[in-house]
Amino acid sequence: MDGTRLPPHAYFLVSAVFHYLGPAFAVLLFARVDVLGVAWLRIAAAGLVFALWRRPWRVWSRLDARGRRLVVGWGAVLALMNSAFYLAIDRLPLGTVAAIEFLPVIVLAAVAARTARNAAALALAVVGVWLLTDVRLVAEPWGFAFAGANAVLFALYIVLGHRVARNPAVSGVDGLALAMLVACAVAAPIGLLDAVPAFTDPVGIAAGIGVGISSSVIPYVCDQLAMARLPRATYALMVSLLPATATVIGILVLAQMPAAAEVAGVVLVVAAVAVHRERRRVELDVAPGSGRGAS
């Protein structure tokens, strides 16, 4: 796949919109299918599209043992991350979950590069997340527990995603396609039974496929194309807009109007992600990526 025809910033902008537009539509689907069932439908639909498009099993034979472990690990993280993310957005506003996603990334950067700039970024992030949690923690403790788990898995997704994107044995998109098949298998025991009612519901199955394409295929492919060409500092600056993007989509699609404290919390997290800077040579090769949540 030729990802050089468009500037990498364009791929990032597409990714930023679809990363949270797809989950917003998934929230609307929760009325027809249980949360974990929607998560599995998303992963399975994306895995099917990638299988038909890229035929990723052909890549497996080209990988050495380390490459295979990397792809399998990435697939497992994708499965668990998506499940935790959906459990979180079932209980919390989309913008709140998106903002919490970035806390581990900022903490890792602050630990790896102990500078005044990163200390300021960490302080901004902590205050921002505190404002977000202070509004709803008592009412939705499980929502924050799932959001925290998603945040940790999001950091792992970034680490493994960058390593796959830079693996000379496999292109980032083919590695992603193979990892998505792994994710489908890992997520099956978690959400397959909850997805069964959708199999006899044409609207539910069509919506699940749509969520998978808009949540996992479009943004993850754009992530790989952007990460492979954008300098990490530029990518980190652009990714600071993602919590704000999620908040806007939550307002427009889900009518999730944030309180003043929540708006302030998201603004502080956006500022923290924009301010923080990583050490140039960090062993974990961590750089902010999609949300994901990833997402």
Side-chain angles (χ1 to χ4, degrees):
M1 180 178 179
D2 184 5
T4 63
R5 295 180 182 178
L6 293 176
H9 305 79
Y11 290 113
F12 178 85
L13 291 175
V14 173
S15 173
V17 172
F18 278 92
H19 261 303
Y20 296 112
L21 187 60
F25 291 144
V27 172
L28 301 177
L29 185 57
F30 290 165
R32 288 179 173 268
V33 183
D34 286 345
V35 176
L36 291 176
V38 175
W40 186 85
L41 285 173
R42 165 185 173 170
I43 296 168
L48 178 61
V49 170
F50 278 123
L52 295 174
W53 174 33
R54 305 300 296 185
R55 298 180 182 178
W57 49 86
R58 298 179 299 181
V59 176
W60 185 261
S61 62
R62 301 203 304 263
L63 294 175
D64 57 15
R66 182 178 180 277
R68 291 177 179 179
R69 288 195 299 271
L70 178 63
V71 170
V72 170
W74 197 26
V77 167
L78 279 169
L80 297 175
M81 180 182 71
N82 282 310
S83 299
F85 179 74
Y86 275 34
L87 287 167
I89 64 174
D90 185 41
R91 294 165 171 83
L92 297 173
L94 190 58
T96 299
V97 177
I100 292 172
E101 277 185 328
F102 290 93
L103 187 58
V105 175
I106 297 169
V107 171
L108 285 173
V111 170
R114 298 180 180 88
T115 64
R117 180 169 179 159
N118 278 347
L122 182 58
L124 288 170
V126 168
V127 174
V129 172
W130 179 79
L131 286 173
L132 291 169
T133 56
D134 190 54
V135 174
R136 298 175 183 269
L137 183 58
V138 174
E140 291 292 352
W142 278 109
F144 283 100
F146 290 125
N150 171 68
V152 173
L153 292 164
F154 173 67
L156 289 175
Y157 161 76
I158 295 167
V159 172
L160 297 176
H162 271 277
R163 289 182 178 178
V164 171
R166 288 165 172 76
N167 190 324
V170 57
S171 76
V173 175
D174 286 338
L176 172 62
L178 190 56
M180 194 61 69
L181 292 182
V182 174
C184 185
V186 172
I190 302 173
L192 179 57
L193 287 179
D194 288 337
V196 168
F199 298 160
T200 57
D201 179 0
V203 174
I205 198 69
I209 293 172
V211 167
I213 293 172
S214 61
S215 297
S216 294
V217 177
I218 295 174
Y220 287 174
V221 168
C222 289
D223 278 347
Q224 289 299 306
L225 294 172
M227 282 192 288
R229 294 171 57 204
L230 277 177
R232 284 168 54 185
T234 302
Y235 197 85
L237 181 61
M238 294 182 70
V239 101
S240 66
L241 299 175
L242 289 180
T245 302
T247 300
V248 171
I249 289 174
I251 293 172
L252 296 178
V253 179
L254 302 174
Q256 294 177 340
M257 299 302 297
E262 291 174 302
V263 172
V266 170
V267 169
L268 287 173
V269 172
V270 167
V273 179
V275 167
H276 99 284
R277 178 169 295 173
E278 300 171 16
R279 191 175 58 188
R280 288 190 177 183
R281 303 180 69 87
V282 180
E283 290 297 323
L284 288 177
D285 191 27
V286 176
S290 58
R292 35 15 345 220
S295 319

